Amino acid sequence: MSASELDGRLDDPPDDPPDDLPGDLPDSLPGTSARERTEPASRPSAPPRRRLTWQKLTLLPAFLVALLLATWLWFEQAGLDTITENALSGGQVSKALWQHIQLTVISTFFVLVIAIPLGILLTRRRFRGATPVALALANVGQATPAIGLLALLVIWLGIGRRAALVGMIAYTVLPVLSNTVAGLKANDPTLLEAARGIGMSPSGVLSRVELPLAVPLILAGVRTALVLNVGTATLATFGGGGGLGVLITAGITNQRMPVLVLGSVLTVALALLVDWLASLAEVLLRPRGLETDA
């Protein structure tokens, strides 16, 4: 072959490839339309998860209504003597119940004011060394028998509501404090570093990243503190603080079963109601990004 013929073949354009080569996929599959080929397949969207179920909303209230109704029917058929009627008349039951609610709400408020800021402070770098000491002191308050702690506070502060409130705060500060510290320490360091990397200030990292992630544990501690306060408030009567413990001690002292039963049933019902309300708040206040499918 001469050089001129070789140059001519190099100048010619290459032949078009055949339409069907082995291994090539066809442009369309049998049974598919052009719209189905151009649009991506849509995935079925999962139904939104219900945060509150009807069982959670209705079962416990229905049980409490049945419990109170049964107690009322029992009182209707029970014969009440003069001593029992005097112990329950004159609005004393409603007064004791209102005092009990006040003791629970006020003590829980001060527990939150003390424990949550202190827990935040103990997780900062400068004060991390004081965490074991603070938790040990809070544990002393809960490890001490409640009635003994109340007696010491009555000797120090005198008889009245103040001694009862101080004792209740000291007795229930540990769950909120320990859960706040544990929730803030459990945060992923990479998330915190990423927040700092995008220019967030330390207060912004705390309020927008650390605290929202720690909300479930903090709310669990608050729920525990509420239930403990309802039970501990019954001992406030020994320090002159009032509450439903007045009915319980009156029933025991006078040996009157209706008074004792009423005070006990109201205490149990209040504790269950508070726990139910706290569980609803725990669900509703939980950040949506932290929810998991049940």
Side-chain angles (χ1 to χ4, degrees), residues 124 184 187 191-213:
R124 303 306 97 182
L184 292 174
N187 291 335
L191 296 178
L192 307 183
E193 190 63 31
R196 299 186 189 100
I198 62 176
M200 294 181 66
S201 62
S203 60
V205 174
L206 175 63
S207 61
R208 301 181 64 181
V209 180
E210 292 187 76
L211 283 176
L213 292 175

Side-chain angles (χ1 to χ4, degrees), residues 147 150-151 154 159-160 164 232-242 245-246 248-249 252:
I147 187 66
L150 180 61
V154 167
I159 295 176
T232 310
T234 57
L235 301 176
T237 182
F238 296 106
V246 173
I248 297 175
T249 54
I252 295 175

Side-chain angles (χ1 to χ4, degrees), residues 245-264:
V246 173
L247 299 179
I248 297 175
T249 54
I252 295 175
T253 303
N254 299 321
Q255 297 182 356
R256 292 300 183 271
M257 186 62 64
V259 182
L260 175 61
V261 169
L262 181 60
S264 303

Side-chain angles (χ1 to χ4, degrees), residues 8-269:
R9 289 193 176 186
L10 292 176
D11 293 338
D12 292 339
D15 296 334
D16 294 335
D19 294 337
D20 296 330
L21 290 177
D24 287 347
L25 293 175
D27 292 339
S28 63
L29 295 175
T32 59
S33 62
R35 184 175 181 179
E36 292 175 346
R37 294 195 302 270
T38 57
E39 294 182 357
S42 60
R43 296 180 180 178
S45 58
R49 181 176 178 267
R50 297 177 63 183
R51 307 182 81 184
L52 293 175
T53 61
W54 68 269
Q55 294 94 335
K56 193 175 188 65
L57 290 172
T58 58
L59 289 182
L60 185 59
F63 171 75
L64 293 179
V65 170
L67 176 64
L68 296 177
L69 181 60
T71 304
W72 178 75
L73 293 176
W74 180 75
F75 264 86
E76 286 295 317
Q77 60 86 28
L80 304 181
D81 57 8
T82 305
I83 297 178
T84 302
E85 291 179 353
N86 291 335
L88 301 178
S89 63
Q92 297 188 53
V93 176
S94 59
K95 178 182 176 182
L97 180 60
W98 177 240
Q99 289 175 344
H100 206 100
I101 295 174
Q102 285 182 323
L103 289 170
T104 303
V105 172
I106 294 173
S107 60
T108 304
F109 171 76
F110 281 105
V111 165
L112 299 183
V113 170
I114 294 171
I116 294 180
L118 181 59
I120 294 173
L121 188 66
L122 292 175
T123 55
R124 303 306 97 182
R125 185 172 300 176
R126 292 182 179 180
F127 302 97
R128 287 176 184 172
T131 302
V133 178
L135 292 177
L137 291 176
N139 192 30
V140 168
Q142 194 172 49
T144 305
I147 187 66
L149 180 62
L150 180 61
L152 293 176
L153 290 172
V154 167
I155 296 173
W156 178 35
L157 300 174
I159 295 176
R161 180 178 292 188
R162 183 173 59 174
L165 287 174
V166 173
M168 292 171 65
I169 293 169
Y171 192 71
T172 56
V173 73
L174 179 63
V176 182
L177 178 61
S178 61
N179 279 30
T180 302
V181 173
L184 292 174
K185 284 186 175 182
N187 291 335
D188 190 353
T190 58
L191 296 178
L192 307 183
E193 190 63 31
R196 299 186 189 100
I198 62 176
M200 294 181 66
S201 62
S203 60
V205 174
L206 175 63
S207 61
R208 301 181 64 181
V209 180
E210 292 187 76
L211 283 176
L213 292 175
V215 160
L217 275 177
I218 296 175
L219 290 177
V222 174
R223 181 179 177 181
T224 303
L226 276 169
V227 177
L228 285 175
N229 274 334
V230 174
T232 310
T234 57
L235 301 176
T237 182
F238 296 106
L244 292 172
V246 173
L247 299 179
I248 297 175
T249 54
I252 295 175
T253 303
N254 299 321
Q255 297 182 356
R256 292 300 183 271
M257 186 62 64
V259 182
L260 175 61
V261 169
L262 181 60
S264 303
V265 168
L266 289 178
T267 303
V268 171

